[in-house]
Amino acid sequence: MAMTTPTLQAPPALATTTEPPAVRRGLIAGALAFIALFLVMPLAVVLAEALRRGVGTYFEAITEPYTLAAVKLTLIAAAVAVPLNLVFGLTAAWAIAKFEFRGKSLLITLIDLPFSVSPVIAGLIYTLMFGAQGWVGPWLIEHDVRIIFALPGIVLATVFVTFPFVARELIPLMQDQGTDEEEAAALLGASGWQIFFRVTLPNVKWALLYGVLLCNARAMGEFGAVAVVSGHIRGVTNTMPLHIEILYNEYKFAASFAVASLLALLAVVTLVAKVLLEWRFGHELAHNRGR
Amino acid sequence: MKRNAFMGGRIRNWIAAAILALGALAPAAASAQTLLNVSYDPTRELYDAINAAFVADWRAKTGQAIRVNQAHGGSGAQARAVIDGLAADVVTLALAYDVDAIAARGLIAADWQKRLPHNSAPYTSTIVFLVKRGNPKGIKDWGDLIKPGVQVITPNPKTSGGARWNYLAAWAWAKRQPNGSDATAKSFVQALYKNVPVLDTGARGSTVTFAQRGIGDVLLAWENEAFRAINEFGREKFEIVVPTISILAEPSISVVDRNVDRRRTRALAEAYLNFLYTPDAQAIIAANHYRPREPQYAKPADIAQFPKLELLTVDQEFGGWAKVQTTHFADRGVFDQIYTPGAR
């Protein structure tokens, strides 16, 4: 308790940086300025543009039937794609982390594929598969099954681009955790499902939620892949990102930014949820991040 | 242990809730008959007005409530989507060639152009120049577009119908100059595209590039698109320059036979296209800055907006769209020979 001066409280050996305070403050200011310039300001511009013609116009824009249809379609696409990827991501991560089998690294590479493939290609893949000139498209159209230029195509494209998010969050964590606890549970007589629900799942639940949030954010915001398979039918196959572009191209700039602010709001809600999770369960997530 | 059991139960509840939510959100089967009109880029406002008038007209005549859905994009890209299975009942595209492309895949009868009056084009337009107010670069005619330092905005002729009309109008002008030939026209068009800093995929994209983002000195635009840009952004910002020669653009319409027969919407689709030739529709067409085929039905004030200039047709100048397409816009055609992205 005799140590009263700041220099003694922080002995040089424990200091994390040796830079003078001016440099540190400069770096922090630089980072903050960067964030303000490239993140906060554009978001503020979106809001300002959206409200430029007044609150009345804003609400008119976001309650207009085409906009509501676009919001609904975006939510449906996310509501189908996210649970699918949740189930897939969980099973894939479980298989990869807890078992040894041939072709495992190939499977990991395949899971990462949507990250490396341009979304436009993703859309074209489905057009080539299910389009009227595609492999199975003519047969499907003969039987009145519509995949592309309809809801299923939009969902497929969304699933494709959001495919790796959950698995990618879970695999490193599950690999780190190893199989000890599962083995112990098996020795104590637990069944497969019991092990999964009582041991494996509780161990990864926060990483899982985190992956789901990221997956959801991307699912709602996807533009390129969905643009290729949408067909751009107003009020039918336009998702929110596509609708924003259409409004912009129709010189309805205020309406376009109003819908953009709505989409940004959805993203912000997701990000706030993420930050809250990180704040409350930081150590578990940090464990996950340190791959 | 208790917490874990709770967790498992909650996951199951989530899944059940998600399935329920999906059921609730799934789109209800449409009760009213719908029609899908797949159109090109600048016709958004035109068909908003036409559709409202047609829906009212149809209800007055038959008592049925119907709905007309719209899809817009670059004309070539839209034709491609219909070929790939976009279930269009009618197409209203920027040029006959794009309808021909769909017909070539057997979706539309080969004689489609003869099924409706005026070559199945209920309205025409042409290509004009949109410049900044006061015309700071002094652009008067096509020849001014290749001057050094003039930036020209036009979309990509591979995907945009309007862009093909732009290209052909420039070609036709150059060929009609003293000592003009296909060779001089080619080098003129090549010089023109050297002045193009960005090729958007559709006409509306180019208009936004020029008028909203302020890129370029002159926009080669559909006449209707140029009028609309002035209405949207104000007379104090832009003005139209009319060249001495331009092209008669005939945007073409057709029922997509394969789709209407499958969806049993032929009667409605044909009524929709015939409606475009009625006095009401012709007046709406002129009010939206397209040149109506029957100007006597339009408001005289709307007709007065259209400047008189020499309009050449694709058939006379170029021997038809099939020839234009193979010579100019097909892979390794003239456009591919003269346009190298980034080379300027």
Side-chain angles (χ1 to χ4, degrees):
Chain A
M1 292 307 113
M3 294 180 280
T4 48
T5 61
T7 43
L8 283 176
Q9 273 180 340
L14 291 178
T16 47
T17 59
T18 52
E19 283 80 6
V23 173
R24 271 181 273 162
R25 279 191 213 109
L27 284 173
I28 290 169
L32 286 178
F34 190 83
I35 289 173
L37 194 64
F38 289 95
L39 202 72
V40 180
M41 223 167 71
L43 275 176
V45 167
V46 166
L47 259 183
E49 285 287 329
L51 292 169
R52 179 182 263 184
R53 302 249 168 109
V55 181
T57 320
Y58 182 86
F59 282 103
E60 220 168 82
I62 59 174
T63 53
E64 187 249 356
Y66 284 150
T67 305
L68 288 180
V71 172
K72 187 174 156 189
L73 182 62
T74 298
L75 291 179
I76 291 173
V80 180
V82 173
L84 279 179
N85 278 330
L86 186 149
V87 171
F88 163 78
L90 203 52
T91 45
W94 198 50
I96 286 167
K98 309 285 178 184
F99 301 96
E100 288 303 322
F101 55 92
R102 287 167 65 114
K104 190 157 134 177
S105 57
L106 180 69
L107 182 61
I108 296 176
T109 311
L110 284 178
I111 289 173
D112 276 346
L113 195 67
F115 273 155
S116 50
V117 170
S118 158
V120 176
I121 313 282
L124 284 176
I125 292 168
Y126 291 113
T127 309
L128 289 176
M129 285 268 299
F130 300 114
Q133 311 294 317
W135 286 9
V136 290
W139 184 87
L140 289 172
I141 289 172
E142 237 15 84
H143 293 79
D144 263 335
V145 180
R146 299 230 153 250
I147 306 285
I148 60 162
F149 309 126
L151 179 64
I154 291 168
V155 169
L156 273 177
T158 308
V159 168
F160 183 91
V161 294
T162 57
F163 193 60
F165 283 92
V166 175
R168 266 286 140 213
E169 282 304 316
L170 292 183
I171 290 169
L173 176 65
M174 285 172 116
Q175 273 177 336
D176 268 9
Q177 286 172 347
T179 53
D180 297 354
E181 291 185 28
E182 277 85 355
E183 279 163 16
L187 280 176
L188 290 170
S191 74
W193 282 114
Q194 277 176 319
I195 295 175
F196 179 72
F197 278 116
R198 299 192 175 185
V199 180
T200 312
L201 199 55
N203 274 341
V204 299
K205 61 189 182 227
W206 295 115
L208 182 66
L209 205 51
Y210 191 81
V212 164
L213 285 178
L214 286 180
C215 179
N216 184 52
R218 179 67 192 271
M220 291 193 299
E222 176 55 25
F223 181 85
V226 172
V228 177
V229 296
S230 139
H232 305 281
I233 309 169
R234 283 135 195 261
V236 184
T237 64
N238 269 329
T239 60
M240 280 173 83
L242 302 183
H243 189 57
I244 290 166
E245 196 210 18
I246 283 181
L247 288 172
Y248 186 78
N249 280 347
E250 286 181 353
Y251 310 122
K252 294 175 187 154
F253 301 116
S256 147
F257 283 108
V259 181
S261 75
L262 202 60
L263 190 59
L265 189 74
L266 288 175
V268 167
V269 166
T270 309
L271 286 179
V272 167
K274 194 195 99 173
V275 168
L276 281 178
L277 283 179
E278 275 177 341
W279 174 63
R280 273 200 66 188
F281 306 97
H283 60 286
E284 278 180 67
L285 289 163
H287 189 53
N288 169 32
R289 297 259 112 192
R291 14 194 92 154
Chain B
M1 244 3 202
K2 201 173 175 197
R3 191 177 64 110
N4 293 350
F6 169 69
M7 184 73 194
R10 207 159 69 171
I11 293 267
R12 264 175 256 136
N13 286 345
W14 282 355
I15 294 169
I19 291 168
L20 279 179
L22 271 186
L25 280 169
S31 49
Q33 202 174 17
T34 62
L35 209 56
L36 174 58
N37 174 7
V38 171
S39 193
Y40 62 111
D41 239 345
T43 56
R44 301 151 192 265
E45 294 79 10
L46 170 67
Y47 281 107
D48 271 352
I50 292 279
N51 292 349
F54 177 70
V55 166
D57 185 68
W58 187 260
R59 183 178 298 170
K61 280 188 183 137
T62 66
Q64 292 170 347
I66 55 151
R67 192 187 143 102
V68 184
N69 288 323
Q70 282 298 134
H72 297 276
S75 187
Q78 294 292 79
R80 182 72 236 174
V82 173
I83 290 168
D84 279 333
L86 182 57
D89 297 289
V90 302
V91 288
T92 53
L93 295 176
L95 41 89
Y97 179 78
D98 288 327
V99 185
D100 280 337
I102 303 170
R105 309 290 179 129
L107 275 72
I108 294 176
D111 66 342
W112 64 269
Q113 207 159 14
K114 298 196 174 63
R115 293 194 292 198
L116 288 165
H118 298 294
N119 277 334
S120 290
Y123 45 87
T124 66
S125 191
T126 186
I127 301 300
V128 296
F129 306 158
L130 191 69
V131 297
K132 289 174 187 125
R133 181 83 210 167
N135 197 357
K137 298 262 169 153
I139 289 155
K140 296 270 182 292
D141 207 351
W142 292 97
D144 299 319
L145 301 182
I146 61 167
K147 282 184 186 159
V150 172
Q151 283 199 323
V152 182
I153 302 297
T154 175
N156 185 348
K158 294 271 185 177
T159 54
S160 158
R164 285 183 229 184
W165 292 114
N166 294 348
Y167 172 105
L168 294 178
W171 188 285
W173 175 85
K175 208 175 156 183
R176 292 213 164 197
Q177 297 314 295
N179 302 320
S181 67
D182 278 333
T184 60
K186 185 174 170 179
S187 52
F188 173 76
V189 173
Q190 181 160 24
L192 196 159
Y193 278 91
K194 279 226 170 64
N195 281 350
V196 177
V198 48
L199 286 179
D200 287 285
T201 54
R204 185 54 63 88
S206 280
T207 312
V208 171
T209 295
F210 178 76
Q212 173 77 359
R213 302 192 190 125
I215 297 172
D217 303 304
V218 52
L219 173 74
L220 307 189
W222 290 101
E223 184 179 52
N224 51 281
E225 193 68 356
F227 277 119
R228 180 155 294 281
I230 285 181
N231 285 350
E232 295 288 341
F233 294 97
R235 282 184 186 283
E236 69 284 357
K237 285 203 175 131
F238 299 106
E239 63 184 66
I240 291 175
V241 170
V242 182
T244 52
I245 290 179
S246 196
I247 198 130
L248 180 73
E250 296 182 293
S252 304
I253 62 172
S254 177
V255 161
V256 183
D257 297 274
R258 176 93 60 86
N259 292 345
V260 294
D261 289 342
R262 181 174 292 125
R263 299 187 63 230
R264 298 191 183 83
T265 47
R266 180 177 284 280
L268 184 61
E270 285 176 349
Y272 180 71
L273 293 189
N274 283 320
F275 179 75
L276 290 168
Y277 292 90
T278 61
D280 284 354
Q282 290 285 308
I284 294 172
I285 281 165
N288 280 277
H289 319 295
Y290 294 81
R291 297 182 178 219
R293 289 290 194 175
E294 315 277 356
Q296 67 274 22
Y297 297 132
K299 273 194 219 147
D302 286 336
I303 297 301
Q305 70 186 321
F306 300 116
K308 292 204 170 35
L309 71 162
E310 189 180 358
L311 294 176
L312 310 173
T313 69
V314 168
D315 289 345
Q316 281 166 16
E317 292 297 306
F318 296 92
W321 270 109
K323 204 167 158 223
V324 166
Q325 186 66 22
T326 46
T327 314
H328 292 275
F329 304 122
D331 283 344
R332 290 189 287 281
V334 176
F335 179 73
D336 279 349
Q337 295 161 28
I338 61 158
Y339 184 74
T340 332
R344 45 187 62 97

